[in-house]
């Protein structure tokens, strides 16, 4: 059975048990501060488990893209080394939301595995929860009794909280679980050690394939458990492991899920997979990581230098590094692999193909940048080599850490290069540096969040901000959040006009006003479906009725900028082409920023045309057409843009300004009529990443002010230049005149420099076979000082020259020696200049024959020549 059939059989099986089969949610998580990427099949359904939102179906089955590279579930370091952990993998799941429970779930799991997939019963083991004293939980006898009817009791094992109590994160829904393991070893191997002893023991051939979780609890921040309003089933089966079991392979990488990529990599590297442990690991790393990288970028997460973007960048760099070190890929390669992946997976995940060329460009650019960094790091190692040799043939911990931190060299790579050079690495020292950095970042980000204080349970927030700036509200829950420097409160209201930051639009500010007090709302944020009003203090009377009032003037600017963003998006597609896709945006009261895919600079003329189109739409006063609850299919039919990243089963809000021009899915606040925007002006166009451009623009009075300010500046220039007509011509002329004068001045100064040189030559003093010159001189810049020194060297033999000068208020010293003096008389310009620099409170250095120094104290300059004479006399004596 190939992998596509295996996946399909899963869907068909659960469809036959009345499950609705839905597509995978995007890998990238948008509105959840506790999670960067989906790490399990249940994460997209979190709100249903918590009871924040009703599930659209009671029974669902799906395959969910998961990424386990950060946070509670992090398998990154295993990947490549073992045969069954991946960064990105598919989790097949069947779900009951308050519907069936343990009995059905376990029976169906058994039926699917043993009857549909025909896995041998005598190779399967199951585990159930043994209970836990700390959490005051009993053992899961119910699950045990169900299994007993299907499988012999010596194949049912009890497991601890670590393996048999599933938790998504530090807080959130959780419950006991029952795992199914398979023993894939040969008969001979089994004869030696019974499979039972290897379950949950990290044996590569005795692996967990399926976990059935019975969600019953919610873990709170204080560590306690509370019962969820209903019981649910959440199951997760590792698709790649299932394929290994059914296809009777000993490694996930030997299945048809990975083989196309493995063969491609091996072919390009000119090696055979399976012959050398080192190259095999590198091949597995690359075959695995390309999936995480390509899916993440496709789902909207570009590599970057912070947060989720940094996680992706690190994965990408990890694979470049393995390819670079073990497969000799010195040029970008991963981007080619993205195509192999897309060819193979597009039938299940069509988004891979649709975004392929964009994804490839992003990857290639990242690869190039990192390969350059690697190269710089190698060079740095080369230049420090002497120092390491002197340091007992050791690369010190600090340098190893610097290589890691700035050049992306992990310790193993540094160690590898060190070995080639006959050096070793101070690994303990590296560990110390690493620990220190961790502490620094831990301290910077430590937050303490109290549990919610719930005043009105089961009340969800009614958002009324599309229609109003004000509402009557009650607080339904609140909590305190403390970080190192501040303490704030999060208030959730039963009804609110405040828009929470999302979709690029910033959060509203305003006030909560009761009869007795007024509380400022500093910002509004979203956490899943909760709208958090952020304040610096708690109302004294928290149960009062509040008038919740958005800062309307600010909100109006935001509306204008948001609607203008839609008009800009449409204009971009019209002028540049339909490949333009939104890659990010920011809508604030001050400006709008729009990032989009496009592969070249937007020309000036195109910018003017785009601006013109937007202003035309504004002048046409097009009314807003808003559909608050359109099913996704209908929105698609209207040609809505930005369909990526929507979760399945959601109703969407469609915003259009004349359906011909602009139709978008959008949750933001908008003007009622484009005329309200008033005026639109682009203020910059730039590049943000490979294939991504950024336009910033302003609207309404901000745009007016911007234009006025430009005009004011122009007028100021007119005043200075003293002309009303042909300003650019006049400035051009001024500029040319200036260049002519500058040249004349330079020539004049050089002539003076020549005269100065002549007089210095005359002053040369004979000292023990040396021509000694030391003088304080006047020159206009450092280049001239250098030129003077080098010119002197041309005409005077056996020269020891010391020049002191004040340049732009700062003291400088230059020392020049004839080459023969360096070798014969044991003189050294670097040493000399360092000694002399003490007089001017400075330092410097250079080469043995020429060195310079700068300092802070020009008052010391006059003593430099005399000191130089003394120093040189002394060294000539020795
Ligand atoms: P393991 O102990 O093997 O790491 P787990 O306990 O972390 O597994 P769960 O969180 O229960 O796994 O996830 C459900 C299923 O997803 C597992 O039974 C397994 O088949 C699969 N799975 C988990 N992590 C990975 C991974 N990194 N790569 C591939 N499949 C995985
Ligand atoms: Mg795990």
């Amino acid at each position: 059975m190939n992998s596509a059939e295996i996946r399909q059989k899963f869907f068909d099986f659960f469809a036959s048990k009345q499950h609705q089969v839905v597509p995978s949610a995007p890998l990238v998580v948008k509105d959840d501060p506790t999670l960067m990427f989906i790490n399990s099949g249940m994460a997209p359904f979190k709100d249903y488990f918590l009871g924040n939102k009703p599930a659209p179906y009671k029974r669902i089955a799906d395959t969910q893209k998961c990424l386990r590279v950060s946070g509670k579930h992090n398998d990154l370091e295993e990947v490549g080394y073992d045969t069954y952990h991946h960064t990105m993998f598919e989790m097949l799941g069947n779900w009951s939301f308050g519907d069936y429970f343990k009995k059905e779930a376990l029976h169906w799991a058994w039926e699917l595995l043993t009857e549909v997939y025909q896995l041998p019963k005598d190779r399967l083991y199951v585990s159930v929860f043994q209970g836990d004293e700390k959490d005051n939980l009993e053992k899961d006898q119910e699950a045990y009794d169900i299994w007993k009817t299907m499988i012999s009791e010596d194949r049912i094992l009890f497991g601890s909280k670590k393996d048999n109590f599933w938790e998504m994160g530090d807080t959130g829904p959780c419950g006991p679980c029952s795992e199914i393991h398979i023993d894939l070893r040969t008969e001979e191997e089994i004869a030696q050690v019974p499979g039972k002893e290897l379950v949950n023991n990290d044996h590569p051939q005795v692996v967990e394939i399926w976990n059935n979780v019975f969600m019953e609890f919610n873990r709170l921040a204080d560590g306690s458990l509370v019962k969820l309003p209903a019981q649910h089933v959440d199951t997760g089966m590792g698709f790649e492991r299932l394929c290994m079991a059914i296809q009777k392979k000993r490694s996930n990488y030997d299945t048809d899920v990975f083989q196309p990529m493995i063969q491609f990599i091996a072919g390009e590297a000119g090696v055979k997979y399976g012959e050398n442990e080192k190259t095999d690991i590198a091949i597995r790393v690359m075959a695995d990581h390309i999936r995480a990288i390509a899916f993440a970028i496709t789902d909207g997460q570009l590599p970057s230098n912070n947060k989720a973007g940094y996680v992706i960048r690190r994965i990408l760099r990890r694979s470049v590094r393995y390819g670079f070190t073990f497969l000799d890929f010195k040029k970008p390669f991963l981007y080619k692999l993205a195509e192999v992946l897309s060819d193979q997976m597009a039938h299940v995940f069509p988004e891979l193909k649709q975004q392929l060329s964009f994804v490839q460009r992003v990857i290639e650019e990242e690869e190039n940048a990192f390969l350059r960094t690697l190269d710089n790091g190698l060079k740095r190692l080369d230049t420090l080599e002497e120092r390491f040799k002197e340091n007992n043939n050791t690369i010190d911990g600090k340098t190893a850490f610097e290589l890691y931190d700035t050049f992306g060299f992990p310790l193993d790579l540094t160690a590898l290069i060190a070995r080639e050079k006959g050096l070793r690495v101070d690994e303990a020292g590296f560990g110390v540096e690493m620990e220190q950095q961790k502490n620094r970042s831990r301290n910077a980000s430590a937050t303490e969040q109290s549990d919610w204080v719930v005043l009105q349970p089961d009340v969800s927030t009614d958002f009324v901000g599309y229609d109003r700036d004000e509402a009557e509200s009650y607080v339904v829950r609140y909590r305190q959040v403390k970080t190192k420097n501040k303490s704030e409160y999060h208030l959730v209201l039963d009804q609110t006009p405040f828009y929470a930051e999302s979709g690029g639009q910033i959060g509203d500010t305003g006030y909560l006003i009761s009869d007795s007090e007024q509380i400022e709302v500093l910002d509004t944020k979203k956490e899943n479906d909760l709208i958090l009003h952020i304040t610096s203090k708690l109302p004294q009377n928290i149960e009062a009725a509040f008038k919740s009032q958005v800062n309307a003037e600010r909100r109006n600017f935001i509306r204008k900028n948001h609607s203008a963003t839609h008009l800009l998006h449409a204009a971009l597609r019209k002028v540049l082409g339909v490949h333009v896709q939104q890659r990010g945006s920011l809508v604030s009261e001050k400006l709008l920023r729009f990032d989009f895919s496009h592969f070249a600079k937007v020309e000036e003329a195109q910018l003017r045309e785009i601006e013109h189109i937007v202003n035309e739409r504004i002048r046409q006063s097009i009314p807003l057409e808003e559909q608050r609850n359109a099913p996704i299919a209908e929105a698609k039919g209207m040609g809505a843009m930005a369909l990526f990243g929507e979760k399945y089963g959601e109703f969407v809000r469609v915003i259009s300004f004349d359906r011909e021009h602009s139709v978008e899915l959008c949750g933001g606040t908008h003007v009622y009529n484009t005329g309200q925007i008033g005026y639109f002006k682009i203020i910059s166009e730039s590049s943000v990443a490979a294939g991504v451009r950024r336009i910033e623009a302003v609207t309404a009075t901000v745009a007016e002010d911007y234009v006025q300010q430009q005009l004011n500046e122009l007028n100021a220039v007119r005043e200075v230049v003293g002309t009303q007509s042909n300003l650019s011509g006049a400035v051009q002329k001024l500029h040319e005149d200036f260049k002519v004068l500058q040249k004349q001045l330079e020539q004049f100064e050089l002539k003076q420099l020549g005269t100065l040189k002549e007089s210095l030559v005359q002053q040369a003093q004979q000292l023990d076979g040396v021509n000694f010159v030391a003088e304080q001189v006047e020159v206009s810049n450092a280049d001239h000082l250098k030129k003077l020194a080098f010119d002197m060297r041309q005409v005077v033999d056996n020269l020891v020259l010391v020049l002191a000068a004040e340049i732009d208020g700062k003291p400088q010293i230059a020392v020049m020696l004839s080459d023969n003096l360096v070798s014969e008389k044991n003189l050294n310009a670097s040493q000399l200049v360092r000694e002399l620099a003490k007089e001017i409170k400075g330092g410097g250095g250079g080469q043995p024959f020429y060195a310079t120094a700068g300092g802070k104290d020009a008052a010391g300059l006059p003593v430099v020549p005399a000191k130089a004479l003394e120093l040189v006399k002394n060294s000539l004596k020795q």
Side-chain angles (χ1 to χ4, degrees), residues 237-252:
M237 173 148 62
F239 171 65
E240 299 76 11
R241 293 188 194 176
L242 177 67
C243 291
M244 160 170 77
I246 295 174
Q247 296 176 3
K248 298 199 171 61
K249 305 286 187 197
R250 285 173 77 96
S251 160
N252 286 2

Side-chain angles (χ1 to χ4, degrees), residues 714-852:
L714 214 55
N715 283 334
V717 175
R718 274 205 181 99
E719 294 268 299
V720 175
V721 178
T723 177
Q724 286 304 313
S725 58
N726 191 14
L727 182 61
S728 65
V731 172
Q732 182 76 27
K733 174 143 190 334
L734 273 180
H735 187 61
E736 271 155 23
D737 289 353
F738 174 76
K739 277 199 290 198
V740 171
L741 286 173
Q742 207 178 24
K743 212 174 212 160
Q744 284 175 355
L745 180 65
E746 173 79 8
Q747 277 163 358
F748 177 73
E749 283 180 348
L750 287 178
K751 219 164 164 187
Q752 263 195 336
L753 209 60
T755 318
L756 183 55
K757 184 184 76 180
E758 292 305 321
S759 85
L760 288 176
V761 171
Q762 298 304 319
Q763 285 167 38
Q765 186 179 343
Q766 294 292 321
L767 265 186
D768 219 351
V770 159
N771 288 314
F772 178 81
V773 181
E775 275 291 318
Q776 181 170 357
V777 294
E778 271 181 40
V779 292
S780 57
N781 59 50
D783 283 347
H784 285 177
L785 189 66
K786 185 172 178 184
K787 181 166 166 32
L788 184 57
F790 277 81
D791 286 354
M792 288 283 290
R793 178 179 148 97
Q794 294 292 322
V795 294
V796 182
D797 292 334
N798 299 321
L799 173 70
V800 175
L801 172 69
V802 176
L803 295 173
E806 186 175 332
I807 296 168
D808 292 334
K810 296 213 176 85
Q812 292 204 9
I813 301 172
V815 175
M816 172 65 87
L817 304 177
S818 295
D819 287 336
N820 60 318
L821 296 186
V822 177
S823 45
E824 291 162 15
K825 300 268 178 183
N826 197 26
L827 286 170
N828 183 309
S830 273
Q831 273 169 16
L832 207 50
V833 92
R834 249 177 254 140
E835 268 309 303
L836 293 171
K838 290 178 185 162
E839 299 300 324
I840 54 168
K841 297 209 168 74
Q847 291 141 284
F849 78 95
Y850 177 66
T852 57

Side-chain angles (χ1 to χ4, degrees), residues 68 73 75 85:
R68 291 197 169 176
H73 293 283
D75 294 333
H85 280 98

Side-chain angles (χ1 to χ4, degrees), residues 516-680:
S516 57
E517 56 191 327
Q518 171 162 326
I519 304 280
E520 189 174 356
V521 177
L522 306 167
D523 197 359
T524 313
K525 292 214 151 93
K526 213 172 184 175
E527 185 175 302
N528 300 310
D529 271 0
L530 297 178
I531 296 175
L532 313 178
H533 301 76
I534 298 171
T535 65
S536 63
K537 60 179 185 190
L538 212 54
Q540 304 243 311
N541 181 2
I542 192 100
E543 295 187 6
F546 290 93
K547 183 164 85 177
S548 44
Q549 194 175 59
V550 168
N551 177 340
E553 195 184 314
R554 181 172 176 272
R555 158 75 83 81
N556 280 336
F557 276 112
I558 296 173
R559 279 179 205 282
K560 290 176 175 137
N561 284 338
H562 202 152
S563 300
T565 306
H566 286 205
L567 299 182
L568 169 64
H569 189 181
L572 282 168
R573 288 171 70 97
K574 188 155 179 199
V575 174
L576 304 179
V578 290
H579 62 279
V580 166
Q581 265 183 351
Q582 176 165 352
R583 289 289 159 195
S585 81
L586 170 74
V587 177
S588 77
E589 78 276 27
K590 298 198 185 79
L591 57 75
L592 64 97
R593 174 185 296 158
F594 191 71
D595 297 346
F596 54 97
S597 44
H598 183 59
F599 295 115
K601 189 170 169 43
V602 187
E603 301 297 329
E604 191 58 31
Q606 293 173 319
L607 287 175
R608 295 292 78 81
E609 193 183 343
I610 291 160
E611 208 171 74
H612 175 72
I613 293 175
V614 174
N615 279 312
E616 272 298 303
R617 301 281 172 261
I618 293 173
R619 284 188 282 273
Q620 285 162 356
S621 289
I622 307 167
L624 162 74
E625 207 185 317
E626 179 199 14
Q627 260 179 295
R628 288 219 182 134
N629 269 310
I632 281 203
E634 194 177 309
K636 261 191 191 160
M638 288 168 66
M641 292 188 271
L643 274 165
F644 281 114
E646 289 309 315
K647 271 197 249 170
Y648 172 80
E650 282 179 6
F651 286 90
V652 291
R653 180 160 171 263
V654 185
I655 292 295
S656 34
F657 292 105
D658 185 343
R659 291 197 185 185
E660 290 289 297
H661 298 308
S662 159
V663 183
E664 296 202 36
L665 299 191
C666 175
T669 58
H670 287 275
V671 297
Y672 301 111
N673 181 307
T674 57
Q676 290 174 315
I677 301 169
Y679 177 40
F680 171 84

